[in-house]
Structure formats: C-alpha cells, structure tokens
Amino acid sequence: MRGHEVCYLKSLIRDVYPFFKEVFASLGLEEELWSNLLGPATIEGHSDIALPCHSLSSSLRKSPVDISEHIVSLFSDDILNIAKVSSKNGFVNVSATSSWIEEQISYIFADDRLGVKIDDSRTFAVDYSAPNVAKEMHVGHLRSTVIGDSIVRLLLFKGHTVYRENHIGDWGTPFGMLIEHLLDLGEDKAAKELGVGDLDSFYKQARSKFNSSADFASRSRNRVVLLQGGDKETLRLWKILVSESMRYFNDVYSILGVLLKDSDIKGESSYHDLLPIVIDRLTKTNILVNSNGADVVFPTKKWLNREGGEMPAIIRKKDGGYNYSATDLACIIDRIERLNCTDLVYVVGTPQKQHFEMIFDIALMAGFMSDKHNATHVNFGSVLNQNGKILKSREGNTIKLVDLLSESVSRAEAVIIDKNPNLSPDERSKVAKMIGIGAVKYADLSTERSKDYIFDWDKMLSLEGNTAPYLQYAHARICSIFSKSDIPPSSLSNPIFIIIDKEEELLAKRLLLFSNIIEDTIINYSPHRLCNYLHSLASSFASFYENCPVLKNEDEKIIKSRLALCDLTSRTLKLGLELLGIDSPEKM
Ligand code: ARG
C-alpha cells in the first residue's frame, strides 16, 4: 500500500516516478536530464503534474510535441491505476485517477491531524502584541497580536516549543512625566482612568503639562532619575501605571480570545539588569565606539543618514540612558542563552524594519547569536481608513480597541438576525461574538502581512468573499447537513470514497493540499496563505454542494462518500480557523 506524504502532488510524483524512469530508460535518456522536469502543473485544472519536453529536444533530436506524444505512447496500462497521461503542446500531463485520489483522501480522513506532520522540534520566541504602558493600544498592536497569536498556534501545532514574549513598553523617560501626572491626579483617579482604557488622554495630559510647565518638566526629570535608581516609592507608583494599563490590555486580549497570559509579559523593564552586560560584551568585542558622547555600534551593513553619513545604532545616549536598541540586544541574549531559543520571531510593524536589521546584524557581530539561530522580523503594514489614511477615531484620536471590538460584535449580531431569525437570543449573542471577533481578526490575517489594508466593516462582515463569516458559514452549513441526515459524522469511520463528478474531484484535491499549505504558511510566517486556501476550499465546497446531491441521492454508498467529504471539509475549515485563532460556530 502506498503511504501518504505531505502534499498530494509530491505523493503523486513519487508514485508515477518509476514509470517515467522505465520509459526514459527505453529512450536511452539519462535520469538527470528529465527528473527535475517533473513537477506540479502550473495551471490548476489542466493536470496535476506535468513534464515539459522542450529542453529534451536537443538530446532526442525531435520537436517537443513529437517527444511528448511519443512518451505518452510508451506508457503501459499500469500507470492507469494511478494517473492518466496525455500530451499537449510539448508537455506530458499527468492527472491522478479517481481511485488514487480516493486512496489518498482515506488516509487524511483517518488522521486527526489531517495529514499535517509533526516537525523536528525547535524552540521559538515569538515577540508579539507589545503595547506601551499608559498609551493606547492601537490597531498596529491589534495586528501584531492577531498575526503573532496565529503564528504561535501554527508552531505549537507543528510540535515546536514556543515562548510567547509580550515585550510591553514599560520603561524609559516618559515614565517620569507619567508618574508625576499620576501624583497630580491622585492615585485612585489615575488608576481608574487607566483601568478603563482612557490611556490616550492620560498620556496626552501628561505630555501637555510637560511641554507647558517648567516645574512639571523638572519634577518629571527628577522622577526618571529616581525610577532608574530603583527608588522604592517611585517603583510603587510605576507599578500602578503598569498594572492598571495591563488590566485594560487584558480586557482586549480576553475579548480577542488570544493565548497571551500575564506570565508572557516580558516588558522592557525586565531587561534592565542585563543592560550593563550588553555594554560590557559589546566593549569586549571591540565594536562599541563613542560618537559625540554616545555609545554606538556601526553594523557591518551600511545605513546612511540624510546627509549621506554612515548611521550607527545608538546603544547608550549621551545622558547615560539606554536606548530601545540596548533592550533588544539584551532580549536576544536572554532568549538565546536563558531560554535556549533557536528561532527568534518579531511580529512588529514595517516602520521598525531598519531597527531589527541593525539589531540582528549587531547580535551576530557580537556573538550573541550565530548562524545556528534564525532571527526574523515578521513585519506588517498599516491599517488604513477608506481614504487611505491611518485609521483613527472620528475625533482624530487613536481608536479604543475595546470599542472597535464591541462595535464589530454588534454589527455581527445584526447580520445574524437577518440571516437566521430563529436563533435564540442566547445563541445569537454567542455566535455574534464569534463572528464579530473572527471578522476583525480575519481581516488582519487575510491581507498579505507586508501590505497595508483598508478597514472596511461591510467587507469584513460580509457572508460572501474572502471573509471569516463566509468560512464560518460554510462550516455551519455542513453541521446543518449532518443535523438533517440521520447519519452522524462519528458513524463514518473507514468510509469508502467514490469520486465521480468534477466538483467532487476538485474538492477532494483541495482537501489533500491542507498539510502542504500549513507548511507553506509557517515557512513564510504568512497566515494569509492559510486564509486564501480556506477560502478556496469553502468555494469548492459550495460548487460541490450545488452540483453533487448529498442527501437527495438514491445510492446509499454515494450518500456516505459525500457525507464523508462534507465531514472532512468541515474538519479542515474548523482546524484551519482554529490555527488562525477563529471560532467556528455550529449554527449561524
Ligand atoms: N512596544 C513597541 C511599540 O509599540 C513594540 C515592541 C516590539 N518588540 C521588540 N522586541 N522591540 O512599537
């Protein structure tokens, strides 16, 4: 019996390979001349795999068309079990037979992991979300949270060890003014403002007092010194800022249903003690130099400033304060030496591209990491409004994320009332949450991450197109097919698949691609690839369902086979959405 491999095209190539070998041997053509030519067909629907004969013309002294026709004529009937072979325009086209597809689909059906292998385990640190204390968490942090969380889920599913690192901005000079503002307001009032997420106005008030009052500014500067020096009372006040902001961030995380926990918080402040060590180790490797009073490193790759001068990474400022870069270097040391990570992943917006390139470069120069480690900046674009500007509230402020998410849930509720008025109010509110939150997450995930995307309520909540509600609806529809039949999915163990119709075959082939798509999504840290796949799967399910009667069929065997295809589709959609961090309601 032939085993199942990662991707059905790879399995198909493996299965037909010996037949090609025999045919080419009879033509006297060496294996290396043709073996790499056999690959996936470029146009879906033409065939599954193809072998272009154009490069064989000179060796065989015939036209590509003649070669391909001759090759096809040499194939014995044996291959018919596996694939049909034909020729067109100088290509040998190979299409899997139904029986071969049936066999492959049976393997996947019987596997809870739907054919996805467990990888050799590596250890990842995934740095994501990372909002800043006493500052509004903006749509960029939302995007980092959603993409990062999906990457964590995918890596865990592949069997890796994953550390979630929430590198919150909880340290630095602004804390002087924030603490002074907290004292002015009174601790209780300040805590209240922060805890409900009025972070933007808190920060702005502090900033404006800093700019307008010399006395406030000087108090703030003294406060920074006290904070850096570890003054107890100052630290106590600082902790209020951190914990009240975290209370708000945690509200957002819980509405979003992400994996992040308090124990994942590794804010900038937690690297404080490592900073002198960073300076020490950079000094020992002779790469730290003094430039205008600051401690800087010139990376191997050259970055130029506006005047055309070489740009260094500033590690410690003139006033002795450490920079963002110093903290990130400390992070690398911590993640590699304490956590033993092999892979460092940073889900942070594109504007920080240069920062990460410099940091990775310096970490290699200083020996904090080696070529055994992979460091990747998983960058992403901005979230824009309909006019192509950064998404803001009507008043021009940063949008409060809890408001945005609750708006999505109420809009989803309106969509469901329209679609299925019979749902009980209780069910409706549960489903509305899954759809509303799913829609926002999916909008973030389904755009290729390096691109900006336009935030559009109608589009993301639509039941048509590449949206979460469309996929959730496809899943719920399959659940309702089962509830209409008297055959529960659990009774379908070891089903015999019968693939007859075109739409059925296309659906089956799409189902076989799942494991391959998961690999591809992880290698590129690109959840949009999984989204595109799930969308194409749901579309081929729709045309299957339209053209191939499932329950209204005379033949009991076909009913069972088609129900099994329905079940496998719903399991694939559910698992795929789960890996994106999105729920699949059974009714909607
Ligand atoms: N807090 C930063 C910001 O809001 C993001 C931190 C990203 N992670 C890091 N290790 N630098 O821009």
Side-chain angles (χ1 to χ4, degrees):
M1 199 187 253
R2 289 181 293 267
H4 167 71
E5 250 187 37
V6 189
C7 162
Y8 89 94
L9 293 176
K10 274 196 217 154
S11 316
L12 186 59
I13 292 175
R14 181 205 55 210
D15 288 353
V16 299
Y17 196 88
F19 297 93
F20 273 89
K21 201 166 166 176
E22 217 172 283
V23 164
F24 279 111
S26 75
L27 293 174
L29 205 71
E30 308 236 348
E31 200 165 339
E32 63 256 30
L33 286 175
W34 62 269
S35 66
N36 286 331
L37 298 175
L38 195 60
T42 39
I43 307 169
E44 193 186 23
H46 264 191
S47 66
D48 294 310
I49 51 184
L51 187 139
C53 300
H54 310 83
S55 66
L56 304 177
S57 273
S58 56
S59 328
L60 294 174
R61 293 161 195 257
K62 275 198 204 170
S63 75
V65 171
D66 288 346
I67 297 173
S68 63
E69 279 170 6
H70 185 57
I71 289 174
V72 170
S73 75
L74 291 174
F75 271 105
S76 67
D77 284 350
D78 282 340
I79 202 172
L80 291 178
N81 248 331
I82 305 171
K84 294 183 274 286
V85 187
S86 60
S87 82
K88 194 172 181 188
N89 302 334
F91 285 85
V92 177
N93 290 324
V94 183
S95 300
T97 58
S98 308
S99 67
W100 189 87
I101 297 169
E102 286 157 7
E103 196 183 303
Q104 298 294 312
I105 206 105
S106 305
Y107 289 120
I108 308 266
F109 187 89
D111 180 7
D112 282 341
R113 300 181 55 83
L114 305 179
V116 181
K117 285 196 310 192
I118 303 232
D119 280 351
D120 293 339
S121 174
R122 299 179 61 91
T123 304
F124 287 76
V126 184
D127 183 314
Y128 70 110
S129 193
N132 301 313
V133 164
K135 253 191 176 175
E136 185 55 75
M137 193 179 183
H138 54 68
V139 279
H141 294 119
L142 175 70
R143 205 163 183 206
S144 168
T145 308
V146 169
I147 296 176
D149 210 61
S150 169
I151 290 174
V152 169
R153 287 168 196 263
L154 285 155
L155 290 170
L156 288 172
F157 189 63
K158 286 294 265 172
H160 297 292
T161 302
V162 184
Y163 291 101
R164 296 181 294 263
E165 299 268 302
N166 194 354
H167 190 81
I168 58 169
D170 61 356
W171 205 244
T173 42
F175 283 89
M177 70 176 195
L178 292 167
I179 292 172
E180 286 304 320
H181 179 54
L182 174 129
L183 285 172
D184 289 357
L185 276 184
E187 288 177 31
D188 287 348
K189 190 160 178 245
K192 218 176 190 168
E193 249 181 52
L194 292 167
V196 296
D198 277 339
L199 309 185
D200 220 25
S201 81
F202 188 92
Y203 195 93
K204 275 191 183 156
Q205 287 168 46
R207 172 65 65 198
S208 96
K209 281 199 281 182
F210 187 87
N211 292 339
S212 62
S213 150
D215 169 54
F216 184 84
S218 109
R219 269 161 54 202
S220 303
R221 285 196 199 95
N222 289 337
R223 194 52 83 174
V224 177
V225 178
L226 287 170
L227 182 67
Q228 310 269 9
D231 172 63
K232 269 215 175 100
E233 174 61 6
T234 304
L235 281 174
R236 186 186 68 79
L237 296 166
W238 167 80
K239 277 201 187 111
I240 298 177
L241 291 174
V242 177
S243 60
E244 291 305 326
S245 307
M246 275 318 302
R247 192 206 297 263
Y248 173 67
F249 300 151
N250 279 332
D251 281 348
V252 175
Y253 295 154
S254 121
I255 301 172
L256 279 175
V258 289
L259 302 168
L260 285 170
K261 296 197 192 69
D262 276 348
S263 51
D264 301 322
I265 296 167
K266 266 305 248 159
E268 293 180 20
S269 66
S270 57
Y271 298 96
H272 192 238
D273 293 344
L274 259 179
L275 298 177
I277 296 174
V278 170
I279 296 287
D280 197 43
R281 289 174 61 169
L282 293 176
T283 311
K284 286 210 175 101
T285 41
N286 291 325
I287 56 176
L288 195 69
V289 293
N290 194 286
S291 164
N292 300 324
D295 289 318
V296 307
V297 178
F298 287 92
T300 33
K301 188 179 152 190
K302 306 284 170 243
W303 278 276
L304 300 181
N305 59 26
R306 268 193 222 126
E307 292 79 44
E310 224 179 279
M311 214 164 49
I314 301 173
I315 311 296
R316 189 163 52 180
K317 291 178 286 188
K318 221 175 172 165
D319 65 6
Y322 293 98
N323 249 7
Y324 187 53
S325 301
T327 315
D328 261 323
L329 288 170
C331 257
I332 293 184
I333 294 179
D334 184 61
R335 291 172 192 179
I336 289 186
E337 297 177 14
R338 184 177 64 90
L339 300 176
N340 283 322
C341 291
T342 50
D343 297 73
L344 309 179
V345 177
Y346 297 80
V347 189
V348 185
T350 303
Q352 296 190 33
K353 188 165 187 278
Q354 181 182 309
H355 165 73
F356 285 108
E357 282 176 357
M358 282 191 166
I359 291 303
F360 298 161
D361 191 332
I362 296 170
L364 281 170
M365 285 167 80
F368 299 168
M369 61 182 192
S370 71
D371 54 9
K372 283 201 303 258
H373 305 104
N374 304 308
T376 314
H377 175 205
V378 175
N379 64 316
F380 55 82
S382 308
V383 186
L384 307 176
N385 67 17
Q386 306 274 0
N387 303 321
K389 298 265 159 53
I390 298 288
L391 188 70
K392 290 263 163 74
S393 74
R394 235 170 277 137
E395 299 77 35
N397 296 325
T398 313
I399 291 183
K400 230 170 122 173
L401 290 189
V402 278
D403 295 344
L404 180 115
L405 297 173
S406 75
E407 177 163 358
S408 190
V409 173
S410 43
R411 282 176 183 259
E413 192 147 8
V415 173
I416 310 166
I417 292 178
D418 196 42
K419 188 84 191 166
N420 187 353
N422 299 328
L423 275 185
S424 72
D426 211 32
E427 268 178 320
R428 189 167 65 219
S429 87
K430 271 195 207 129
V431 173
K433 242 187 111 185
M434 296 189 197
I435 295 180
I437 301 305
V440 171
K441 284 184 160 185
Y442 194 85
D444 254 336
L445 293 164
S446 57
T447 311
E448 187 186 333
R449 62 175 163 75
S450 63
K451 293 198 176 133
D452 297 343
Y453 84 89
I454 293 175
F455 195 92
D456 179 340
W457 285 121
D458 292 337
K459 198 169 147 209
M460 71 177 77
L461 283 159
S462 166
L463 290 162
E464 306 289 333
N466 191 7
T467 65
Y470 175 71
L471 301 179
Q472 289 169 317
Y473 186 66
H475 172 266
R477 193 166 167 203
I478 300 176
C479 295
S480 91
I481 297 171
F482 277 100
S483 61
K484 275 188 218 130
S485 82
D486 45 10
I487 308 172
S490 56
S491 72
L492 293 170
S493 62
N494 283 325
I496 298 172
F497 284 97
I498 308 165
I499 308 285
I500 317 166
D501 290 337
K502 198 169 88 236
E503 292 81 8
E504 202 160 39
E505 186 178 300
L506 188 63
L507 175 62
K509 283 183 180 175
R510 290 248 162 100
L511 286 165
L512 291 178
L513 278 175
F514 183 66
S515 58
N516 194 47
I517 298 293
I518 295 294
E519 311 255 302
D520 196 41
T521 301
I522 293 186
I523 289 170
N524 297 289
Y525 298 118
S526 287
H528 84 278
R529 295 182 187 230
L530 176 55
C531 296
N532 286 347
Y533 165 77
L534 293 175
H535 177 237
S536 76
L537 178 66
S539 328
S540 50
F541 178 78
S543 52
F544 157 77
Y545 198 61
E546 201 173 298
N547 294 289
C548 310
V550 179
L551 297 174
K552 287 197 194 91
N553 207 300
E554 319 271 83
D555 189 336
E556 187 75 19
K557 285 196 201 107
I558 292 186
I559 295 182
K560 283 216 163 146
S561 165
R562 289 188 175 165
L563 276 175
L565 274 182
C566 290
D567 177 50
L568 185 55
T569 305
S570 92
R571 280 156 58 202
T572 309
L573 287 170
K574 187 167 181 214
L575 177 57
L577 285 168
E578 207 172 290
L579 293 171
L580 296 169
I582 297 174
D583 291 319
S584 310
E586 291 186 0
K587 282 186 194 167
M588 63 186 266

